[in-house]
């Protein structure tokens, strides 16, 4: 059996059948065709999912079932172990790929061997009033600076060089679930470069049963632990993040009696009467 260029990895767990159908169709309809599509069912008792996947007659689909529920991080790691492709395309079970997602990412990674992770923009849809395109920094330095504060590489739209994961013994860590994607990027920061293609690659379905909503408290705690570790490990990026947060923004203003302008801090400068530069502040 020929080795595919890309392994698309999708774990499923009691997924809405209609959502999963759209997810699968969006992968099979890609303009780039040299891929395997590994779907791992972590809800093995759900026969409706078996029937849906079986309804697709496409040899690129590899369907695997866990004997019992393993959890998301263990399932993602099992998928990594099954993958044979040079590139790993992460894709969640209720999202939709644009038709040239794989083509755009393969072309980029082939042309940029120093980059180990390429993602793109998400278009949010689903719950009324949430339709939008989520912005993301483009280049490696900006991504790593922003990562000090938040996860800014869309996991469901990401493609990773498998060799970077294998050579550095990096995988998903259950301890940080459901923020296992943020932890993965934190681990990869020291060993490779990132890039976000500045256009929509995946349509992200927002609904009440998303993990980020259902496990909000656990997500917040894991997110904070990862961010603290990042700030200790990459102090230069953290300092730049803090500087970027204050650049061009008025962060303090003092008025006498609440009316007369006296002091203002903007662009790291203290301004007397909100206009006359007095001195510059250097943040640490």
């Amino acid at each position: 059996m020929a080795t595919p260029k890309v392994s698309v990895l999708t774990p499923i767990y009691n997924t809405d059948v209609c959502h999963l159908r759209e997810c699968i169709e969006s992968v099979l309809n890609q303009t780039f065709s040299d891929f395997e599509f590994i779907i791992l069912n972590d809800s093995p008792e759900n026969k409706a999912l078996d029937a849906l996947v079986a309804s697709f007659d496409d040899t690129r689909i590899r369907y695997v079932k866990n004997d019992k529920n393993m959890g998301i991080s263990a399932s993602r790691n099992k998928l990594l172990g099954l993958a044979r492709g040079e590139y790993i395309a992460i894709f969640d079970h209720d999202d939709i790929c644009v038709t040239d997602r794989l083509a755009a990412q393969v072309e980029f990674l082939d042309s940029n061997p120093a980059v180990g992770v390429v993602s793109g923009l998400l278009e949010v849809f689903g719950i009324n009033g949430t339709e939008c395109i989520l912005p993301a920094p483009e280049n490696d330095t900006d991504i790593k600076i922003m990562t000090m504060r938040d996860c800014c590489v869309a996991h469901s739209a990401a493609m990773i060089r498998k060799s970077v994961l294998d050579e550095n013994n990096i995988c998903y860590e259950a301890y940080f679930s459901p923020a296992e994607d943020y932890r993965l990027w934190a681990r990869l920061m020291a060993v490779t470069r990132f890039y976000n293609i500045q256009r929509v690659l995946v349509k992200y379905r927002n609904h009440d049963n998303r993990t980020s909503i259902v496990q909000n408290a656990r997500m917040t705690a894991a997110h904070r632990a990862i961010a603290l570790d990042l700030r200790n490990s990459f102090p230069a990026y953290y300092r730049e993040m803090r500087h970027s947060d204050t650049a061009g923004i008025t962060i303090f203003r003092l008025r006498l009696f609440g009316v007369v302008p006296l002091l203002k801090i903007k662009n790291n400068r203290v301004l007397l009467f909100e206009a006359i530069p007095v001195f510059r502040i250097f943040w640490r």
Side-chain angles (χ1 to χ4, degrees):
M1 183 181 296
T3 301
K5 181 77 169 181
V6 175
S7 295
V8 182
L9 308 183
T10 300
I12 62 178
Y13 175 77
N14 289 332
T15 307
D16 181 288
V17 172
C18 293
H19 295 173
L20 183 58
R21 180 180 297 280
E22 290 183 285
C23 164
I24 294 173
E25 288 174 347
S26 75
V27 174
L28 299 181
N29 291 331
Q30 290 291 297
T31 59
F32 181 89
S33 61
D34 185 14
F35 64 84
E36 62 177 354
F37 185 15
I38 312 178
I39 303 171
L40 187 149
N41 188 353
D42 196 32
S43 51
E45 75 290 344
N46 193 323
K47 304 304 180 184
L49 298 181
D50 296 344
L52 174 65
V53 176
S55 70
F56 288 93
D57 183 18
D58 194 308
T59 58
R60 294 173 298 182
I61 294 178
R62 296 172 59 194
Y63 184 53
V64 182
K65 294 176 65 173
N66 290 335
D67 294 331
K68 61 180 180 179
N69 176 255
M70 296 174 58
I72 186 60
S73 291
S75 294
R76 291 195 190 280
N77 285 332
K78 184 173 179 178
L79 282 165
L80 289 178
L82 292 169
R84 298 178 296 122
E86 178 182 355
Y87 302 146
I88 302 295
I90 308 300
F91 190 45
D92 287 341
H93 59 170
D94 41 15
D95 296 335
I96 300 172
C97 284
V98 302
T99 56
D100 65 339
R101 173 205 165 171
L102 297 183
Q105 293 181 303
V106 168
E107 180 181 7
F108 183 87
L109 288 178
D110 282 349
S111 301
N112 296 273
V115 176
V117 180
V118 59
S119 190
L121 304 186
L122 296 180
E123 180 180 333
V124 179
F125 74 102
I127 297 176
N128 291 338
T130 62
E131 291 78 7
C132 64
I133 295 175
L134 299 180
E138 181 176 3
N139 296 305
D140 180 66
T141 300
D142 292 333
I143 291 170
K144 288 175 177 175
I145 290 170
M146 184 70 72
T147 300
M148 297 295 105
R149 180 175 59 229
D150 202 358
C151 183
C152 61
V153 175
H155 188 240
S156 190
M159 184 176 285
I160 310 170
R161 291 185 192 276
K162 191 171 188 295
S163 60
V164 173
L165 297 173
D166 293 342
E167 292 167 8
N168 295 283
N169 195 30
I170 292 175
C171 62
Y172 293 95
E173 298 176 51
Y175 178 81
F176 295 98
S177 293
E180 73 279 352
D181 55 338
Y182 190 19
R183 178 60 174 174
L184 185 72
W185 306 147
R187 293 282 309 280
L188 285 166
M189 274 186 57
V191 299
T192 194
R193 295 179 182 173
F194 294 75
Y195 187 81
N196 280 323
I197 296 171
Q198 292 299 292
R199 65 182 179 89
V200 172
L201 297 183
V202 166
K203 296 181 180 181
Y204 176 92
R205 191 187 305 272
N206 194 14
H207 55 80
D208 292 335
N209 292 323
R210 286 210 80 111
T211 301
S212 57
I213 296 175
V214 175
Q215 301 186 49
N216 181 261
R218 187 175 177 184
M219 175 80 80
T220 300
H223 186 283
R224 183 172 184 178
I226 296 164
L228 286 172
D229 183 62
L230 277 168
R231 293 169 187 184
N232 286 328
S233 300
F234 302 97
Y237 287 128
Y238 179 48
R239 285 195 299 271
E240 187 61 27
M241 183 271 289
R242 292 183 62 192
H243 171 75
S244 299
D245 281 350
T246 59
I249 300 174
T250 299
I251 62 173
F252 177 81
R253 178 181 279 111
L254 176 64
R255 294 174 182 263
L256 290 178
F257 312 112
V259 178
V260 181
L262 184 61
L263 292 176
K264 179 170 72 174
I265 300 177
K266 182 175 182 180
N267 294 335
N268 296 333
R269 294 183 183 276
V270 177
L271 306 176
L272 184 62
F273 305 124
E274 298 194 3
I276 304 172
V278 179
F279 55 86
R280 185 179 179 89
I281 297 175
F282 293 92
W283 302 95
R284 294 185 178 182

